[in-house]
Amino acid sequence: MKVTVYSKNNCMQCKMTKRFLSEHNVEFEERNINQNPEYVSYLRDHGFQAVPVVEASGLPAFYGFRPDQLTKIAG
C-alpha cells in the first residue's frame, strides 16, 4: 500500500500521525508543505484546508490525527 502524509513544520497532529505509522511499521512518503509550497495547491484542489492529510491507496484520503483511520492502514 502506498501511503503519503502531507505535513508542515511544528504541527503536533502531523508528528502524532507520523509516529503512529512508524510505530506500526508502515512505510510512508512525507510531503512537507513548508519545504514544497506547491503541495498546498494540490491539497486545496482536493478540498483540504488543514494538515496532516493522509492518502493511502484504496482508501479515502483524510486529514487530522485519526487513529481509527490509521489503524485501517496499519492493518
Side-chain angles (χ1 to χ4, degrees):
M1 176 183 294
K2 182 177 183 203
V3 180
T4 305
V5 177
Y6 293 87
S7 66
K8 68 178 181 178
N9 299 341
N10 302 315
C11 165
M12 186 51 67
Q13 289 193 37
C14 300
K15 289 177 185 174
M16 292 166 60
T17 297
K18 293 184 288 185
R19 182 183 305 141
F20 184 102
L21 292 172
S22 295
E23 287 176 354
H24 290 82
N25 300 312
V26 175
E27 289 186 26
F28 62 92
E29 176 185 349
E30 180 179 2
R31 295 184 177 172
N32 186 302
I33 64 172
N34 294 113
Q35 296 166 355
N36 299 287
E38 64 272 16
Y39 292 136
V40 174
S41 296
Y42 172 83
L43 293 173
R44 282 196 187 127
D45 290 346
H46 287 79
F48 294 105
Q49 297 180 357
V51 289
V53 172
V54 180
E55 294 179 334
S57 51
L59 296 171
F62 62 91
Y63 74 94
F65 177 62
R66 298 278 308 275
D68 59 322
Q69 295 296 321
L70 293 169
T71 300
K72 292 178 186 177
I73 294 171

